[in-house]
Amino acid sequence: MLFIALFVSFFFYSAGVYTSGTALIDAPSASDSVHRGQALFRENNCWACHQIYGLGGYMGPDLTNIVINPDLGPDYARLFIEEGTDRMPNFELNTREVDDIIAYLEHAGAAGNYNPKKGKVTWYGTVEYDRE
Amino acid sequence: MEQSNMTANNRDARSGINFIILGLLSLGACVLMGVLGAFKYLYPETLSGFEFHQLRPIHVSLAVAWIFLAAIGGIYHYLPNYRGLTLAWPKAMQVHFWIFVITGIAILTAYLMGNFGGREYWAYPPALSAPIFATWILFGVNIVFTMKKEKGPWPVYYWMWMTGIIFFLITFSEAHLYLIPFFNENIVRETTIQWKSYGALVGSWNMLVYGTAMFVMERISGDKKLAHSNQAFLLYTLSFIALMVGWAHHVYAVPSAPWVRMTAYIISMAELAILMKIIWEWRASLTPDQKHAHLQSYRFIFAADIWVFLNLILAILISIPAFNLFSHGTHITVAHAMGTTIGINTMILMGSVFLIVEELAGERFKGWTKKWANQGFWVSNLSLLVFLSALMVAGSMEAFTEWEDFYEQSEAVVPMLLTFSISGVGLLAGLWMVVVAALSLLKPNATNEEPITVNA
């Protein structure tokens, strides 16, 4: 009984999270290039060192807003991806692959702003973020 | 303890032991990869031929393998040996084992060849997930049909094991939803559901591990009521709810709907309050005269208890959004992950392994094996303390200082990460001593051929 009740609530909750809980707010959905970039990000395991919205490894910086950040932007990102550094390997990607990854990072950044330290703390302990 | 329904022919003293041996080997390799990874992180130019983004998934996958193998092996061993239930399908256990071994080798090979394609815990090419899924079905069906033979109401750990298995299957599938367009075209949904699946995954292995802890406690104390008490079922219910929503404190900073984050906050707080209470129960359930019969096993469970307490404080803190804001994405999160997997899960599972060692090896658990298990216990726990403290300090520096940029921040925490890596070597030494001691007593020709005597 207990098991069934809990099990059923799990399903309803999951359905909520899958749909309304995570609907995109005025951001474009993914293009083909974004999908390819997404796959490349996995295949090269960029995840081991980088985060997007805080998910991922910590050896390198979070990349959520790097491409849409006017101070950094696509050319800045391209430099790292094409050349590598002494801490980040060079993955020998071709121009199109780099374009795809950049498209993916741009897509990631367009959905929201990941700069957790800039949130506003409410009196009961939660945090609100500006969406822009 | 009445075990009258237990007859010698129900027992198979080696049942599940090969899983435990493989698990111990995975743990040994896991900490080695962890130490190599830590030094690679600090000094990327060293260890050429190994890349950090290869070492990390190898380390993580081996850690997951250890936790699952030790829990699975324990269940396969306990049901026929201590619960008097013959396995519904003994052959399936062997098939399970060999599929696991072969898939494991394939995954490690993929990593070494730089072949990824998946994410985080499952960073290998996603096709290799299919055989893993199949082994869990085999395991689940086998165990549920075995437990169904039990006369009378199930003890709480049966429920926990069953739930752990079912939810493993669910969350493992969930972790692969990113392959479907409905999910991967929306970065918010994709990210949120990845976190959700990891949280539920950890929830599902916690079910297996806490169930194992309950079993070991019952075995040590001989108190049959413990696993049927309301308290135990309350823990079960809460772990279940935690498994559903406990992940969500990871997504405070993801732009998902506010209610998703709010539910997480409320439940996390309630769950932690109850966990506190459970610890009191555990402590009370262990009386000094009972612990001597299973001293090494008792020690590990006792250590887990202390780590539960320390991790709890940290978990409470990081569940508060206002703190999470700073701690998220820093080494505080790493401390949380490692503190729970090593401090709580590994200690509980070692408690289970040594329960089996103590009962199976009996008199042979003496001399160097006893000494190594004992010293390894202390070396690993003390190293773990330094290890986690260093991570906490590094994480706090990252969280609470305004850094010019990522590079300045990375430079600043190097001394802490060096301390972390060196204590990692201590942890490696300690765990290896324990692993070697256990392995030498569990290896095939080491166990008694005669049926073990059941202590009354």
Side-chain angles (χ1 to χ4, degrees):
Chain A
M1 267 317 291
L2 181 64
F3 177 77
I4 293 170
L6 289 166
F7 200 72
V8 169
S9 44
F10 176 83
F11 270 95
F12 281 107
Y13 172 71
S14 297
V17 173
Y18 287 1
T19 53
S20 71
T22 53
L24 272 186
I25 298 157
D26 47 62
S29 58
S31 65
D32 284 350
S33 172
V34 170
H35 282 139
R36 287 195 303 270
Q38 208 167 33
L40 285 164
F41 207 81
R42 284 198 304 272
E43 283 153 15
N44 293 292
N45 205 10
C46 310
W47 286 111
C49 303
H50 291 288
Q51 314 112 63
I52 287 180
Y53 288 109
L55 176 65
Y58 303 127
M59 187 167 167
D62 188 288
L63 298 179
T64 316
N65 295 125
I66 178 159
V67 172
I68 59 158
N69 180 340
D71 296 337
L72 304 172
D75 294 337
Y76 176 86
R78 177 179 298 275
L79 195 67
F80 279 89
I81 302 172
E82 281 178 349
E83 307 290 332
T85 68
D86 49 354
R87 307 190 61 211
M88 167 170 157
N90 178 348
F91 291 88
E92 322 271 340
L93 302 172
N94 63 36
T95 315
R96 189 184 120 156
E97 289 172 325
V98 178
D99 288 343
D100 290 340
I101 290 184
I102 289 181
Y104 171 54
L105 293 175
E106 189 180 347
H107 170 73
N113 197 358
Y114 185 78
N115 192 348
K117 288 189 189 172
K118 297 273 150 62
K120 275 199 291 295
V121 178
T122 62
W123 64 268
Y124 50 94
T126 66
V127 178
E128 271 148 25
Y129 300 97
D130 285 342
R131 267 184 208 288
E132 47 168 305
Chain B
M1 222 191 309
E2 11 154 43
Q3 304 257 342
S4 52
N5 60 343
M6 191 136 92
T7 53
N9 57 3
N10 275 345
R11 285 202 242 113
D12 172 6
R14 301 284 315 162
S15 181
I17 302 293
N18 49 356
F19 286 86
I20 292 179
I21 291 176
L22 191 62
L24 289 166
L25 292 171
S26 305
L27 175 65
C30 164
V31 275
L32 178 63
M33 291 298 153
V35 167
L36 293 180
F39 282 102
K40 185 79 189 172
Y41 184 118
L42 282 171
Y43 307 108
E45 52 315 318
T46 56
L47 289 167
S48 54
F50 284 111
E51 293 291 349
F52 179 77
H53 66 289
Q54 295 175 308
L55 292 170
R56 185 180 190 258
I58 296 178
H59 167 69
V60 172
S61 295
L62 287 168
V64 177
W66 146 245
I67 291 175
F68 281 135
L69 285 166
I72 289 170
I75 297 171
Y76 276 139
H77 186 76
Y78 294 145
L79 290 175
N81 285 290
Y82 306 149
R83 300 291 310 174
L85 304 172
T86 12
L87 278 187
W89 205 10
K91 280 235 168 59
M93 179 175 75
Q94 298 310 327
V95 176
H96 177 174
F97 181 76
W98 288 109
I99 300 181
F100 199 99
V101 170
I102 294 164
T103 318
I105 293 172
I107 289 175
L108 292 178
T109 316
Y111 288 155
L112 288 173
M113 294 181 10
N115 235 329
F116 308 100
R119 306 178 58 164
E120 292 280 305
Y121 294 116
W122 325 110
Y124 51 78
L128 289 172
S129 288
I132 296 188
F133 193 85
T135 61
W136 280 82
I137 298 207
L138 278 180
F139 176 53
V141 171
N142 203 355
I143 290 305
V144 170
F145 277 93
T146 307
M147 294 191 308
K148 269 180 72 179
K149 298 182 185 173
E150 177 87 26
K151 298 181 197 76
W154 281 12
V156 71
Y157 44 83
Y158 282 16
W159 288 106
M160 289 178 156
W161 290 338
M162 185 179 79
T163 311
I165 296 168
I166 293 176
F167 272 87
F168 176 81
L169 290 167
I170 295 176
T171 70
F172 192 57
S173 313
E174 215 174 20
H176 292 83
L177 287 178
Y178 69 81
L179 296 167
I180 300 172
F182 175 72
F183 296 95
N184 68 25
E185 70 194 10
N186 171 339
I187 184 99
V188 174
R189 179 169 296 150
E190 197 213 10
T191 308
T192 307
I193 288 169
Q194 275 295 305
W195 277 117
K196 179 177 187 297
S197 80
Y198 300 143
L201 170 77
V202 172
S204 83
W205 83 43
N206 281 346
M207 278 280 183
L208 295 175
V209 172
Y210 294 161
T212 301
M214 284 299 222
F215 179 86
V216 175
M217 306 304 301
E218 178 190 276
R219 187 79 190 159
I220 294 178
S221 68
D223 178 3
K224 293 254 155 181
K225 289 195 291 294
L226 190 72
H228 290 278
S229 65
N230 288 338
Q231 185 74 39
F233 278 92
L234 189 62
L235 169 67
Y236 169 71
T237 311
L238 266 136
S239 312
F240 205 134
I241 297 175
L243 171 161
M244 283 194 246
V245 291
W247 54 277
H249 57 249
H250 294 290
V251 296
Y252 288 149
V254 179
S256 54
W259 68 261
V260 174
R261 283 171 270 148
M262 202 57 187
T263 324
Y265 182 37
I266 296 167
I267 299 286
S268 296
M269 291 297 119
E271 175 208 338
L272 292 167
I274 298 289
L275 254 171
M276 281 284 206
K277 193 154 179 272
I278 298 290
I279 294 170
W280 283 112
E281 296 292 312
W282 275 12
R283 305 288 310 113
S285 74
L286 283 179
T287 60
D289 49 322
Q290 284 154 340
K291 70 184 189 199
H292 288 299
H294 297 97
L295 189 59
Q296 199 61 48
S297 176
Y298 171 80
R299 271 210 188 115
F300 281 112
I301 301 283
F302 179 75
D305 230 16
I306 293 174
W307 292 114
V308 166
F309 187 73
L310 292 178
N311 276 290
L312 210 57
I313 298 171
L314 180 57
I316 290 174
L317 281 175
I318 63 175
S319 301
I320 300 170
F323 181 86
N324 187 279
L325 172 78
F326 295 102
S327 68
H328 196 89
T330 69
H331 283 92
I332 294 178
T333 315
V334 184
H336 168 61
M338 301 238 200
T340 47
T341 43
I342 309 175
I344 304 177
N345 292 336
T346 297
M347 294 303 152
I348 288 178
L349 291 170
M350 278 298 178
S352 163
V353 169
F354 275 89
L355 178 75
I356 297 174
V357 167
E358 281 168 332
E359 302 217 348
L360 221 50
E363 286 298 290
R364 287 178 305 109
F365 184 38
K366 59 168 196 274
W368 74 270
T369 47
K370 192 144 205 158
K371 213 152 107 203
W372 280 34
N374 180 23
Q375 289 171 354
F377 170 82
W378 287 107
V379 173
S380 56
N381 277 288
L382 293 175
S383 308
L384 184 58
L385 190 64
V386 180
F387 183 89
L388 294 179
S389 310
L391 279 180
M392 284 301 295
V393 176
S396 308
M397 288 166 69
E398 290 157 0
F400 301 112
T401 313
E402 275 295 333
W403 298 103
E404 196 60 42
D405 57 24
F406 181 77
Y407 308 95
E408 197 192 53
Q409 172 186 309
S410 305
E411 280 300 309
V413 297
V414 164
M416 281 305 126
L417 293 185
L418 192 58
T419 313
F420 157 80
S421 307
I422 292 167
S423 57
V425 177
L427 191 59
L428 173 86
L431 286 176
W432 273 22
M433 287 170 84
V434 174
V435 165
V436 170
L439 281 177
S440 83
L441 293 165
L442 288 176
K443 65 176 191 275
N445 50 10
T447 36
N448 281 329
E449 288 308 317
E450 293 155 43
I452 36 169
T453 41
V454 179
N455 58 337

